[in-house]
Amino acid sequence: MQKIKSLMARQGLKSPQESMADLSPVENLRIPSKEELREMREQPIDPQAEQEIIDSIEEVYFSNDSFDMVQHELEKLPPELNLQELEEYRDKLKRQQAAVSKKVADLILEKQPAYVKELERVTALQTNLQLAAVICTNARRQLSVAKEGFTEASLGLLANQRRRQLLTGLLKSLRTIKTLQRTDVRLSEMLEEEDYPGAIQLCLECQKAASTFKHYSCISELNSKLQDTLEQIEEQLDVALSKTCKHFDVSHYTKVQLAYTLLGKTQTAMDQLHMHFTQAIHNTVFQVVLGYVELCAGNADTKFQKMQYKDLCTHITLDSYIPCLTDLCKALWEVMLSYHRTMQWHEEHDKQETTPTPDDAAAAESDELMVDHSYVKKKLEHGLTRIWQDVQLKVKAYILGTDMSNFKYDDFIVVLDVISRLMQVGEEFCGSKSEVLQESIKRQSVNYFKNYHRARLEELRMFLENETWELCPVKSNFNIAQLHEFKFMGQCRSPSVSPSRQAACSTSPPQEELSLFQQYLQEGNPFEMHIEHKEEETEDVLASNGYESDELEKSVYQDYDSDSDVPDELKQDYVDEQTGDVPQKSASRETIRSKKKSDYNLNKTNAPILTNTTLNVIRLVGKYMQMMNILKPIAFDVIHCVSQLFDYYLYAVYTFFGRNDMPVPSPSLPAHGGRETGPARVVGPACLYESSGLGLISSRLRTTLNRIQESLIDMEAGGENAGVHGPTEDRKEKVPSPHLSQMVVLTSSGTLYGLAQRVVATESLVFLAEQFESLQSHLDTMMPAAKKPFLQQFYSQTVSTASELRKPIYWIVAAKAIDYEQMLLMMAGVKWDIREIMSQHNVYVDVLLKEFEQFNKRLGDVSRHVRIPLPVSNVLWEHCIRLANRTLVEGYANVKKCSNEGRALMQLDFQQFLMKLEKLTDLRPIPDKEFVETYIKAYYLTENDMEQFIKNHREYSMKQLANLVNVCLGSHINKKARQKLLAAIDDIDRPKR
């Protein structure tokens, strides 16, 4: 580019831009002159060649007017310029320009005829327009002449007549307007009278009339005033509608609904009504709670008015909690009752309006009514759930706003009762299961019940540690159903129904039960009836027992001596055996005792054996069941705690009376190991019984006791490192093991080692188990389906094992009551290798029988104080006889030399023992009779028979079997045969090690 500019400068040439700038716009866009055009036409050019030249022009030249052709051509120049090529290219461009100019000239000449023709049409149009202007001017002149030619007098008459008619109409309109202006006074009077339908109808008529005269300037102001009045009526109508939310009045509500119908706002009224109900619930609960908070706060400066409802609930004191809850439910009941009556009104109103009318003209109006009624019905049905949800949320906030863990039991039951009644209201109101209320009361109940149960377990431990295990006298027909705490089981109510309905249900004949909304439709309040009823039924439903006493230092029986917690049935016909006092109007002491003779003597059914602690446990179970009956969601938690009460009582009885304080080898280890061929050794009764292989405690009972100890008993509570071992949370759920009261003496032989206390403790546990058995069906209905296996396991593995404690507890008495070691010593002094058959039994038999007679006498003495049931006496006799028989076998096994005559003497001694023993006891068959007889007969067996005897009779100890081999066959068999038999005995004993 620089080269081109330098060349042009040397030749004195200007650049294309400068050359173009010197040209005028006309010259720049010059059109060929006629001479040039003629020259171009005269030049013979082939059209095809001309078209090719035009086609060879670059497309960019046809793009737009802003295209810079000079710049374009300069940019196309090659770097090396050639003058000849430039001139050739310039000629080419000129040819292209000439072709384009010729083409343009040809097109102009081609359109020349059409231009001339169009110009002629424009000239003709101008001529026609001039003619039209002349015609219009003439027409106007003729109309002016016609106007002046009419008579003005005739038109004046017509105008006056028309004015008269207008003035007459105006007078009528003015009178109507005057009437309209006076209607505002009447409207005010009707609003004061709460005649909303009349006021609206009058206002609408006035508006309709005013619309007729809206062309008057005064009417616009009146119309605006009427509109304001109508809006005022609607506002008052809305206030009137809100009043029905708390106190429903049929006539009042009918007026309001008719007024909304006249306004054509039935659906709007229903929307407003639901909004008012929601607002009424909020305002009601807030005012009730606020009133109690301010009352309890006294002169406190706290601005309770500005608090949120949820925060306000946290300021309720424990004393005012139940009255506030009751008033809260009363107020909410009034709101729900108003809603219920509103629905009833609409149902009855719909039935009246749906009667068929023969007039088809009202068909359209009827369809519109049907649409309104359908909307109202759906809105009301939907509103049921919404209203109840609002109620639940408000009561939930109140329930969770206070920590109830420190409530008294009676107060908490009242709370549960009120909430249960409220849930019943909700079920009748909209069929709701009240999940929100159930969840909130469940949370409080679980929290309360854990603390309450923990305290009750601690008190039960205290009671057990202070229990002297004396008989608590009750009537022979005593039953737990007679106790106040179990009255609820005999009353016809479902678990969801509060106790306040029970009296009417139990006293009235069976009939169709009315719902709460039917009972209290016109007057009354179910929560008022609840409170009144509770005052009357306090003793039956909420009677306190010993566990509620704050004076823990009192004797366990002082609480029972009080009439406050003893049913009337228990106050008559009994002797307080602790003090010896005889109540007035009761039989004499001797008469009572004659009636209460032991089963041991008379085998008659008498009053159940139980202690005051047993009675308190039963009462506590009744209270637990009351709570569970009212609130099903925590049924499993309650039943689990009920099972812990029984577990702890069972464990305490076993700990106090079932553990043997004698030196007894562990049941898991053999009492005697290996063969014993040395001198005779005196063996205690405990070793005798354990060595027999008969376990005193069944595997089921042992498993139960281990489970209780692991899950419920805090074994480290009394230790030095109690605070070190075990997680705090785990230990928090456990209770220390109880300790037997020092007042209970179990070591005196004169009292048969505390037999009376053992009988009372054990049989009270059995009685408690029987009561649990009677409650099983009721507990099963309460238990959730998924948790029923727990209840079944509790009954099958715990409750049913109560009677099994008799064996280990009474065995301790049986082991000490008879001097078995003296008998062993006396048997060791008898000579058994005699040579003649004896006709007189040995002295040890008489001594043993004398021991049994003394035992029988002691049993009689004990039975005069405490009835000994037949199963107990049978267990005692069974233990004593079994121990005696095993002592006999042990004594026979200590013999070193024995003849056949000696074996006959053994049989004579045993038969004498059986004959005398059968006179002392009615127990049949005699326990372990075959055990002794089989052992004595084994002395007559041969070598082969003895080997089979050893294999078949594993109930005998190694020592006893070895004695048969050594003494019986010792002189008849060789050493090899003896070793073989002893090896067989050793093989039998090896698995036991």
Side-chain angles (χ1 to χ4, degrees):
M1 183 65 69
Q2 294 297 326
K3 290 180 181 180
I4 295 172
K5 290 184 178 181
S6 64
L7 181 60
M8 292 171 66
R10 284 197 301 269
Q11 295 178 0
L13 299 175
K14 295 182 179 180
S15 66
Q17 287 85 347
E18 293 170 347
S19 300
M20 291 298 292
D22 293 338
L23 297 176
S24 64
V26 177
E27 292 175 334
N28 198 10
L29 300 173
R30 182 174 61 85
I31 299 174
S33 63
K34 294 181 180 179
E35 295 174 357
E36 289 174 345
L37 291 175
R38 186 168 59 251
E39 289 175 1
M40 285 187 286
R41 284 197 301 272
E42 290 173 356
Q43 292 178 2
I45 296 178
D46 184 9
Q48 184 175 358
E50 180 183 304
Q51 186 62 39
E52 289 178 356
I53 293 172
I54 293 174
D55 292 340
S56 67
I57 300 174
E58 293 183 38
E59 290 291 335
V60 70
Y61 282 96
F62 301 99
S63 60
N64 52 48
D65 297 338
S66 62
F67 171 64
D68 189 352
M69 60 188 70
V70 176
Q71 182 69 25
H72 175 69
E73 291 301 334
L74 288 175
E75 291 175 351
K76 287 173 60 180
L77 293 177
E80 297 294 335
L81 298 176
N82 187 319
L83 182 59
Q84 185 180 353
E85 289 179 0
L86 286 174
E87 289 178 350
E88 289 176 359
Y89 185 64
R90 181 193 63 187
D91 294 339
K92 179 183 176 183
L93 290 175
K94 283 184 176 183
R95 286 195 299 274
Q96 289 176 349
Q97 182 182 14
V100 171
S101 298
K102 185 177 182 303
K103 186 69 173 178
V104 172
D106 290 344
L107 289 174
I108 291 172
L109 292 175
E110 184 182 346
K111 299 296 182 179
Q112 182 68 24
Y115 167 72
V116 173
K117 186 178 179 181
E118 188 65 27
L119 187 59
E120 290 175 354
R121 290 181 59 197
V122 171
T123 304
L125 179 61
Q126 185 177 5
T127 305
N128 290 334
L129 288 175
Q130 291 173 352
L131 180 60
V134 173
I135 295 172
C136 287
T137 302
N138 294 333
R140 287 177 178 176
R141 187 170 52 252
Q142 291 174 6
L143 284 174
S144 178
V145 173
K147 181 179 180 182
E148 294 175 357
F150 274 108
T151 307
E152 295 183 0
S154 57
L155 292 178
L157 289 174
L158 292 173
N160 291 333
Q161 179 62 27
R162 183 171 178 274
R163 188 179 296 111
R164 180 183 177 184
Q165 291 178 348
L166 290 174
L167 291 174
T168 303
L170 177 60
L171 180 61
K172 185 178 180 181
S173 299
L174 290 174
R175 289 174 178 169
T176 306
I177 291 172
K178 184 179 180 181
T179 305
L180 290 175
Q181 290 178 335
R182 292 177 178 175
T183 54
D184 58 341
V185 179
R186 177 56 185 155
L187 283 173
S188 301
E189 293 175 354
M190 297 176 80
L191 289 177
E192 290 178 2
E193 297 169 359
E194 295 187 348
D195 185 8
Y196 303 110
I200 290 173
Q201 192 167 5
L202 177 59
C203 193
L204 291 175
E205 289 176 357
C206 289
Q207 278 190 329
K208 186 178 179 181
S211 64
T212 308
F213 308 108
K214 61 183 178 180
H215 48 282
Y216 297 109
S217 58
C218 62
I219 286 298
S220 60
E221 183 181 349
L222 177 63
N223 208 4
S224 176
K225 186 177 181 180
L226 287 173
Q227 186 62 36
D228 293 341
T229 304
L230 190 60
E231 291 176 0
Q232 181 185 355
I233 293 174
E234 289 190 28
E235 291 176 2
Q236 292 195 20
L237 196 58
D238 191 56
V239 173
L241 184 65
S242 66
K243 292 180 180 178
T244 62
C245 296
K246 294 184 178 180
H247 303 287
F248 184 86
D249 181 76
V250 175
S251 61
H252 179 77
Y253 189 73
T254 304
K255 289 180 182 179
V256 173
Q257 282 297 321
L258 181 57
Y260 274 110
T261 304
L262 291 173
L263 289 173
K265 295 184 177 182
T266 306
Q267 297 183 10
T268 305
M270 195 48 55
D271 296 337
Q272 287 293 109
L273 180 64
H274 281 82
M275 184 187 71
H276 288 312
F277 268 107
T278 302
Q279 191 65 28
I281 291 172
H282 174 75
N283 293 340
T284 298
V285 296
F286 187 85
Q287 290 301 324
V288 170
V289 176
L290 178 64
Y292 276 93
V293 170
E294 289 181 340
L295 179 66
C296 298
N299 296 325
D301 295 331
T302 309
K303 302 297 182 182
F304 296 112
Q305 291 277 0
K306 297 180 181 179
M307 282 189 177
Q308 294 291 330
Y309 170 74
K310 189 174 182 180
D311 298 330
L312 197 63
C313 291
T314 60
H315 289 77
I316 290 290
T317 61
L318 297 183
D319 293 337
S320 61
Y321 187 87
I322 292 178
C324 182
L325 176 63
T326 307
D327 288 346
L328 199 66
C329 292
K330 287 180 185 178
L332 290 172
W333 161 261
E334 294 295 340
V335 175
M336 288 187 286
L337 179 63
S338 295
Y339 195 89
H340 177 77
R341 296 186 65 185
T342 302
M343 288 194 68
Q344 276 190 335
W345 185 92
H346 281 280
E347 289 174 1
E348 295 171 0
H349 191 65
D350 289 350
K351 290 178 183 178
Q352 294 174 2
E353 291 193 355
T354 52
T355 53
T357 54
D359 188 4
D360 295 335
E365 184 180 354
S366 178
D367 292 341
E368 187 178 349
L369 282 175
M370 288 300 292
V371 172
D372 285 344
H373 291 167
S374 176
Y375 177 85
V376 169
K377 183 178 180 181
K378 289 180 181 178
K379 191 74 176 178
L380 286 171
E381 289 174 353
H382 176 72
L384 282 172
T385 307
R386 182 179 166 187
I387 296 294
W388 177 241
Q389 189 69 14
D390 289 343
V391 170
Q392 286 191 91
L393 292 175
K394 296 300 182 184
V395 178
K396 174 187 176 181
Y398 183 82
I399 291 173
L400 300 181
T402 302
D403 182 10
M404 299 191 207
S405 57
N406 296 321
F407 271 35
K408 294 181 180 179
Y409 173 82
D410 296 351
D411 292 340
F412 191 74
I413 286 294
V414 172
V415 173
L416 290 185
D417 193 16
V418 172
I419 299 302
S420 176
R421 171 57 61 94
L422 187 61
M423 287 192 288
Q424 183 193 353
V425 170
E427 187 171 359
E428 294 181 5
F429 185 66
C430 61
S432 169
K433 297 301 180 183
S434 306
E435 290 83 1
V436 175
L437 277 180
Q438 287 196 24
E439 180 60 29
S440 58
I441 199 66
K442 180 182 178 181
R443 282 171 55 186
Q444 285 283 27
S445 298
V446 170
N447 182 38
Y448 172 81
F449 196 73
K450 283 182 179 178
N451 293 332
Y452 181 79
H453 177 64
R454 175 71 188 174
R456 300 292 80 74
L457 281 177
E458 288 292 342
E459 289 177 354
L460 177 58
R461 178 172 71 91
M462 182 203 61
F463 271 53
L464 288 168
E465 291 180 346
N466 288 280
E467 178 65 73
T468 56
W469 303 102
E470 296 290 340
L471 189 66
C472 175
V474 293
K475 290 179 65 175
S476 60
N477 62 348
F478 172 76
N479 188 282
I480 61 171
Q482 301 167 356
L483 298 177
H484 303 304
E485 288 78 6
F486 291 90
K487 290 295 184 182
F488 72 95
M489 293 180 60
Q491 292 163 341
C492 52
R493 73 179 184 103
S494 66
S496 62
V497 179
S498 60
S500 54
R501 296 180 60 193
Q502 296 171 16
C505 191
S506 59
T507 57
S508 61
Q511 58 185 358
E512 185 178 353
E513 188 176 356
L514 296 176
S515 71
L516 294 176
F517 287 98
Q518 291 172 330
Q519 293 180 45
Y520 305 106
L521 185 63
Q522 299 299 334
E523 60 180 358
N525 190 300
F527 298 97
E528 287 178 353
M529 295 297 293
H530 161 76
I531 294 300
E532 293 170 5
H533 187 72
K534 295 300 283 186
E535 290 174 357
E536 297 171 3
E537 296 292 332
T538 297
E539 188 175 1
D540 285 337
V541 180
L542 300 174
S544 62
N545 59 14
Y547 290 122
E548 300 295 339
S549 175
D550 293 330
E551 301 178 8
L552 302 182
E553 299 82 13
K554 285 186 176 181
S555 168
V556 67
Y557 288 99
Q558 289 176 340
D559 202 40
Y560 186 81
D561 289 341
S562 171
D563 289 343
S564 62
D565 63 341
V566 182
D568 293 337
E569 294 85 355
L570 306 185
K571 297 177 183 175
Q572 304 170 5
D573 296 338
Y574 75 91
V575 175
D576 190 335
E577 295 191 1
Q578 185 183 12
T579 61
D581 295 337
V582 182
Q584 294 180 356
K585 299 183 180 179
S586 62
S588 66
R589 185 166 185 165
E590 291 74 13
T591 305
I592 294 173
R593 286 187 174 178
S594 67
K595 290 181 180 179
K596 295 179 64 178
K597 282 188 178 180
S598 167
D599 288 348
Y600 172 70
N601 291 327
L602 302 177
N603 290 332
K604 290 184 179 180
T605 303
N606 287 296
I609 296 176
L610 69 159
T611 66
N612 189 59
T613 303
T614 316
L615 194 62
N616 284 327
V617 170
I618 294 173
R619 289 184 183 278
L620 198 55
V621 170
K623 289 190 172 186
Y624 281 24
M625 290 180 66
Q626 282 183 41
M627 188 178 299
M628 175 181 60
N629 215 42
I630 295 174
L631 196 64
K632 271 191 173 182
I634 65 165
F636 172 70
D637 302 274
V638 177
I639 291 178
H640 181 260
C641 294
V642 168
S643 70
Q644 288 185 340
L645 294 176
F646 186 85
D647 287 347
Y648 196 71
Y649 194 89
L650 182 146
Y651 186 83
V653 171
Y654 170 74
T655 304
F656 293 166
F657 305 104
R659 289 179 176 174
N660 186 13
D661 55 358
M662 297 172 61
V664 183
S666 172
S668 61
L669 300 174
H672 306 281
R675 291 178 288 110
E676 187 171 327
T677 56
R681 187 163 68 93
V682 177
V683 182
C687 297
L688 284 174
Y689 204 89
E690 295 295 341
S691 66
S692 69
L694 300 176
L696 287 170
I697 301 180
S698 66
S699 60
R700 184 174 65 163
L701 179 57
R702 190 181 302 278
T703 301
T704 298
L705 291 171
N706 288 337
R707 176 188 61 78
I708 296 172
Q709 182 169 305
E710 291 173 3
S711 63
L712 187 61
I713 306 302
D714 186 3
M715 302 302 295
E716 302 170 359
E720 295 180 358
N721 299 326
V724 178
H725 300 286
T728 306
E729 289 300 322
D730 292 343
R731 291 187 56 201
K732 192 175 181 181
E733 302 297 327
K734 295 183 177 182
V735 188
S737 179
H739 302 288
L740 183 64
S741 171
Q742 295 180 356
M743 297 177 64
V744 180
V745 180
L746 302 179
T747 56
S748 172
S749 61
T751 60
L752 273 181
Y753 306 97
L755 177 60
Q757 287 83 2
R758 294 176 190 270
V759 169
V760 171
T762 309
E763 299 314 304
S764 68
L765 175 64
V766 173
F767 175 78
L768 186 62
E770 291 171 353
Q771 306 315 305
F772 269 77
E773 292 284 358
S774 68
L775 297 173
Q776 183 176 5
S777 60
H778 186 81
L779 294 176
D780 190 66
T781 58
M782 297 285 99
M783 183 69 95
K787 302 293 186 180
K788 286 190 177 182
F790 168 81
L791 186 65
Q792 296 168 357
Q793 184 178 14
F794 168 65
Y795 272 93
S796 62
Q797 297 185 9
T798 304
V799 177
S800 60
T801 61
S803 58
E804 296 179 13
L805 272 181
R806 284 170 171 163
K807 280 190 175 182
I809 290 176
Y810 297 136
W811 178 80
I812 296 174
V813 175
K816 297 179 179 181
I818 308 294
D819 192 353
Y820 303 100
E821 300 211 6
Q822 179 188 3
M823 188 172 66
L824 280 174
L825 291 172
M826 293 183 69
M827 291 179 70
V830 175
K831 187 176 180 182
W832 299 103
D833 56 344
I834 57 178
R835 296 301 175 186
E836 60 182 19
I837 297 177
M838 304 296 291
S839 60
Q840 180 65 30
H841 59 272
N842 284 304
V843 178
Y844 74 86
V845 176
D846 295 330
V847 173
L848 180 60
L849 288 171
K850 189 173 182 181
E851 289 275 346
F852 272 100
E853 289 175 358
Q854 184 66 22
F855 173 71
N856 190 31
K857 181 176 180 298
R858 290 178 180 176
L859 275 182
D861 294 340
V862 172
S863 67
R864 282 195 289 271
H865 297 281
V866 176
R867 178 175 65 88
I868 301 180
L870 183 60
V872 176
S873 64
N874 287 341
V875 169
L876 284 167
W877 278 104
E878 179 185 353
H879 282 329
C880 289
I881 295 171
R882 196 179 296 276
L883 281 169
N885 286 334
R886 302 216 167 226
T887 304
L888 288 174
V889 172
E890 186 68 16
Y892 297 151
N894 290 332
V895 175
K896 298 305 176 183
K897 292 182 180 180
C898 183
S899 62
N900 289 335
E901 290 78 7
R903 305 301 175 215
L905 181 58
M906 290 180 183
Q907 287 182 322
L908 176 64
D909 290 346
F910 186 60
Q911 292 302 321
Q912 177 68 17
F913 173 68
L914 290 178
M915 181 181 67
K916 296 291 185 179
L917 184 64
E918 288 175 349
K919 294 180 180 179
L920 293 175
T921 178
D922 295 331
L923 186 63
R924 300 292 185 275
I926 298 297
D928 280 351
K929 175 182 176 183
E930 294 79 7
F931 183 79
V932 180
E933 291 177 341
T934 303
Y935 188 80
I936 295 175
K937 291 176 183 178
Y939 278 91
Y940 301 102
L941 296 177
T942 63
E943 178 183 345
N944 294 331
D945 293 337
M946 180 62 72
E947 185 175 359
Q948 190 64 34
F949 180 86
I950 290 172
K951 293 179 179 179
N952 294 339
H953 293 275
R954 299 189 178 188
E955 66 270 21
Y956 297 104
S957 67
M958 281 185 62
K959 173 195 167 186
Q960 293 167 353
L961 293 173
N963 181 267
L964 289 176
V965 174
N966 292 325
V967 176
C968 172
L969 301 177
S971 58
H972 304 295
I973 59 175
N974 56 32
K975 185 177 181 180
K976 183 178 179 181
R978 183 186 297 109
Q979 292 296 331
K980 178 182 177 183
L981 291 174
L982 292 177
I985 296 172
D986 192 58
D987 291 341
I988 292 172
D989 188 63
R990 188 174 291 113
K992 300 179 183 178
R993 299 175 190 173

